Amino acid sequence: MRKAIVVIVLIGIVAGGGVVWYLNRPAASDIQPAELLPEDTLVMIEATHLKESVDTFRAGPLGRAFSGIDLPACMGAFNADPEDIEQVSRLQSLLKTSVDSPWFDILFGDLAVMAVMRPDPASLRVPSERLWHESAVMVLQPKKPAEMIQWVGKMFSGDVTITPQTTEGVRMDRVDTGDGRPLFVAVHRGLGLVAMDPKPIVRCLGHREADAFRPLSVSDDYAALRTELSAPDPSRCFVYVDLHAVLDIGLGAANRQNTGDADTTEAEKLWKGFNQAGPVIGAVMTDNGQVLHHRWRIRYNPADLPPEAARVLGGPPETNSTLPWVPETVLYYGWQNNLDQVLASVLDFSRLDAEEKAEFRNEFEAITGVDFEDAVNAFGRQVAVIIQDIRIGAMFPVPELALLAEVGQPEVIHRLMEAVVRNFGVAMKTETDEGGFIRYVPLPFGEDISPAYAIRDGFLVTASSRGFLKDLLAQKSVGKNLSDSPFFGAVDKSLTDPNNQAAYLRLDRAAARTGDLIKWVISLAVMTGKADDANQMIYLSGKVVEPILHALAQYPAVGSRTILRENGIHADVYILKPRPE
């Protein structure tokens, strides 16, 4: 398959001056790819001005990092087969040559679409490679006339053969390169179609005059996503996924391989319920020069959701009440308002009979002294996780973290916490604080590991150490928090609005800490006598991981939010771009 992908690109690389006059004609496409693709298309990925986007990526930190990785050398370090190494080396060279060629811009410069159509049910049992060949198609709108695809093919050296053929009434060309599978190329109203089997092209062009053919463009869901995601800013990339059909295929495969596992069965039941609502996904990415904005939309028909799925997806957005506790210099912060749903899912007794339920409840109350329903109902909706830092200087990495959970019955929470500590056989101490009291467990591992908690302003605040808990409690009273961070402010396009989920990551610091953790793991491997593993890890770290982490460290921060709407899920991711060098 990789060879075929290269061939698709190489079709536009080698040509002579004899076609220059032909290529100077204006492009004449009067139809969009979605008007050619059938309505049952599973996935469609559309890119405009692909060459410019590729060049921008290659000039950025991640592009430079990836281009500097010597994949064949890495494979050799891990004792890969010489033939595989040679194949990857050739692939790397061909891809670079192809992308750098002016023909790449001519072929893919205006519009390029990769699509996967729903396979015939009878084909689902064939090998996956053949299934891919029979379902995938690329649709191109070149900067010059699409007929150039055939012309460029004719300009290859003698080992490429172009053979016209007609399959089910569709005129196309078969391109044999002598190196792997053939390609099939067709042209329709200024658009070029390229596939690795005639079937995808026939499905796009073979029945266009028949009333039975319905293109993707007439799909209400596709049209709605296209309209919604086209504003307010234009995008160079659009993604459409018929999640309903994808889940149909996946759940069907799971049923054929059913192992009888209870957890798997329960997960399948949940996904089947969600799938009844016909979900589809749309996504775009925009760039305003400072922030990359990824917008995701999942649409579905809420009237078709079963009660359990409707309950999970029916939570209203609300204002985040945990933000005042979050330090300005936090490494990671995640918040959501579905703690009640999480508890209901984790503590689902639907698979237990009446006797088992009663036994569990009695045992829970005997251990904690709290009725099970009272314990569950003591919590509210909001929950947040804070990672301030990861300390690596000690014997093992120690995260400085905290968990905040909304509570409605503090007295029940105190009893639960006492029971948890008592069951571990350790004592809990109490320290008076200006806002109340702090409970903590002194452990013989130093100040950084002394789990502590307090209840303040309707929240259970737990932390990995008493010192960090005190810092969080003081944080709120001081009034300066994450909202004062310029990095957070740069990605806070909607993170502080009423939402159902929000997250923030200092990507530059996370990349640095990841590098420190890798060095610690390598040191541990050396100390435990695993020299071979350590040598390979050192090579992989120095030649692959470190350059990528260094590139990621150029991106200061990432923020995201999710909000549940009446007929779908809206998710947005904001990535703060590197400062200009």
Side-chain angles (χ1 to χ4, degrees), residues 429-464:
K429 293 188 176 183
T430 302
E431 178 178 318
T432 302
D433 181 76
E434 61 182 37
F437 61 85
I438 292 173
R439 309 295 305 277
Y440 68 97
V441 179
L443 296 176
F445 305 114
E447 288 285 330
D448 290 339
I449 307 178
S450 56
Y453 85 91
I455 296 179
R456 296 286 191 279
D457 301 330
F459 277 86
L460 167 67
V461 185
T462 64
S464 55

Side-chain angles (χ1 to χ4, degrees), residues 5 79 207 257 439:
I5 294 174
N79 304 316
H207 311 286
Q257 301 174 1
R439 309 295 305 277

Side-chain angles (χ1 to χ4, degrees), residues 304-543:
D304 294 332
L305 288 171
E308 183 177 357
R311 176 171 54 82
V312 172
L313 297 172
E318 60 184 302
T319 301
N320 182 353
S321 299
T322 67
L323 198 60
W325 273 292
V326 185
E328 183 180 357
T329 56
V330 69
L331 176 65
Y332 169 80
Y333 167 62
W335 167 88
Q336 53 197 59
N337 72 338
N338 65 342
L339 178 58
D340 54 341
Q341 303 288 352
V342 172
L343 291 174
S345 299
V346 171
L347 303 173
D348 181 14
F349 293 150
S350 61
R351 288 175 286 173
L352 303 180
D353 58 33
E355 183 178 347
E356 290 172 325
K357 292 178 184 178
E359 181 181 354
F360 175 86
R361 286 188 169 92
N362 292 335
E363 185 175 350
F364 182 89
E365 186 169 356
I367 293 173
T368 65
V370 179
D371 178 77
F372 176 73
E373 274 70 24
D374 289 345
V376 173
N377 294 331
F379 290 93
R381 293 172 52 84
Q382 297 195 30
V383 61
V385 175
I386 297 172
I387 301 178
Q388 178 66 9
D389 202 353
I390 301 176
R391 302 183 185 277
I392 308 178
M395 183 178 297
F396 49 86
V398 178
E400 191 175 19
L401 58 85
L403 174 71
L404 289 76
E406 186 178 17
V407 297
Q409 302 178 42
E411 68 283 356
V412 174
I413 301 300
H414 284 305
R415 289 160 63 190
L416 286 173
M417 299 298 285
E418 286 280 2
V420 170
V421 173
R422 186 171 60 249
N423 287 328
F424 277 102
V426 295
M428 184 180 290
K429 293 188 176 183
T430 302
E431 178 178 318
T432 302
D433 181 76
E434 61 182 37
F437 61 85
I438 292 173
R439 309 295 305 277
Y440 68 97
V441 179
L443 296 176
F445 305 114
E447 288 285 330
D448 290 339
I449 307 178
S450 56
Y453 85 91
I455 296 179
R456 296 286 191 279
D457 301 330
F459 277 86
L460 167 67
V461 185
T462 64
S464 55
S465 71
R466 180 175 42 149
F468 186 38
L469 177 60
K470 289 182 176 181
D471 290 343
L472 292 177
L473 298 179
Q475 182 78 38
K476 188 176 183 183
S477 62
V478 168
K480 192 171 185 178
N481 54 50
L482 182 59
S483 298
D484 298 295
S485 165
F487 297 110
F488 181 79
V491 297
D492 180 20
K493 306 303 178 184
S494 51
L495 272 63
T496 52
D497 294 347
N499 289 308
N500 294 94
Q501 177 274 339
Y504 171 75
L505 174 69
R506 277 295 301 272
L507 187 54
D508 51 356
R509 290 179 54 210
R513 284 292 176 263
T514 301
D516 294 339
L517 284 170
I518 290 173
K519 292 176 182 176
W520 180 84
V521 171
I522 292 174
S523 298
L524 183 64
V526 172
M527 288 188 297
T528 53
K530 298 179 180 179
D532 290 342
D533 292 342
N535 288 335
Q536 289 184 335
M537 291 169 65
I538 291 171
Y539 184 92
L540 183 65
S541 174
K543 300 297 184 180

Side-chain angles (χ1 to χ4, degrees), residues 14-125:
V14 181
V19 294
V20 172
W21 64 273
Y22 183 78
L23 298 179
N24 285 331
R25 293 168 49 197
S29 173
D30 61 351
I31 189 172
Q32 293 299 311
E35 298 176 73
L36 292 183
L37 298 171
E39 189 176 23
D40 62 354
T41 296
L42 293 179
V43 179
M44 170 185 165
I45 303 174
E46 176 185 287
T48 60
H49 307 293
L50 183 59
K51 174 63 173 174
E52 293 179 27
S53 299
V54 170
D55 286 344
T56 299
F57 175 78
R58 293 170 74 186
L62 279 173
R64 294 195 300 269
F66 284 119
S67 65
I69 296 174
D70 189 339
L71 283 179
C74 292
M75 295 173 67
F78 283 81
N79 304 316
D81 187 88
E83 291 184 3
D84 292 336
I85 295 174
E86 174 59 28
Q87 185 178 17
V88 169
S89 178
R90 188 166 58 251
L91 176 65
Q92 239 184 347
S93 176
L94 288 174
L95 284 176
K96 184 178 185 305
T97 302
S98 301
V99 173
D100 288 339
S101 166
W103 287 95
F104 184 88
D105 189 31
I106 293 174
L107 273 177
F108 299 93
D110 268 5
L111 181 65
V113 170
M114 185 68 197
V116 179
M117 292 171 278
R118 183 163 189 158
D120 188 312
S123 302
L124 291 176
R125 298 182 185 273

